[in-house]
């Protein structure tokens, strides 16, 4: 059963996908700082998507991607291991 935290991540990604194409700006010819407003939307949206993806990799990856959080990256953190002689 999914937790509330899992559902929040799912909703966040649904919103990112839904608004990645600015369908509500179709037909708008408004220009801001020399660029169409829909292009500014993409710039801002990609920045927001980058922040959400970064947060997801730190806080949600192990839950929704089926990765054991105890294993981590597979690096052995015991002293004397990991390539040290």
């Amino acid at each position: 059963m999914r937790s509330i935290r899992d559902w929040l991540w799912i909703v966040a990604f649904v919103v990112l996908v839904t608004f990645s194409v600015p369908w509500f700006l179709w037909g708008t010819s408004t220009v801001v700082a020399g660029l169409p407003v829909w292009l500014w939307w993409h710039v801002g949206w990609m920045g927001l998507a980058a922040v959400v993806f970064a947060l997801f990799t730190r806080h949600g990856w192990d839950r929704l991607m089926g990765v054991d959080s105890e294993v981590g990256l597979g690096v052995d953190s015991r002293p004397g291991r990991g390539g040290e002689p």
Side-chain angles (χ1 to χ4, degrees):
M1 185 167 179
R2 296 211 182 268
S3 70
I4 291 176
R5 186 174 170 191
D6 294 343
W7 285 110
L8 289 174
W9 281 119
I10 291 168
V11 167
F13 284 113
V14 167
V15 168
L16 281 178
V17 169
T18 301
F19 293 107
S20 63
V21 175
W23 47 266
F24 48 88
L25 292 175
W26 288 356
T28 301
S29 60
T30 305
V31 174
V32 175
L35 295 173
V37 72
W38 60 266
L39 190 56
W40 287 114
W41 174 266
H42 278 298
V43 170
W45 201 252
M46 291 301 100
L48 177 65
V51 169
V52 171
F53 288 139
L55 289 171
F56 177 70
T57 58
R58 293 187 178 266
H59 302 289
W61 190 269
D62 60 332
R63 302 177 58 82
L64 295 175
M65 301 310 284
V67 176
D68 184 6
S69 63
E70 298 298 321
V71 174
L73 297 174
V75 177
D76 192 353
S77 61
R78 290 178 289 179
R81 302 290 297 209
E84 293 180 21

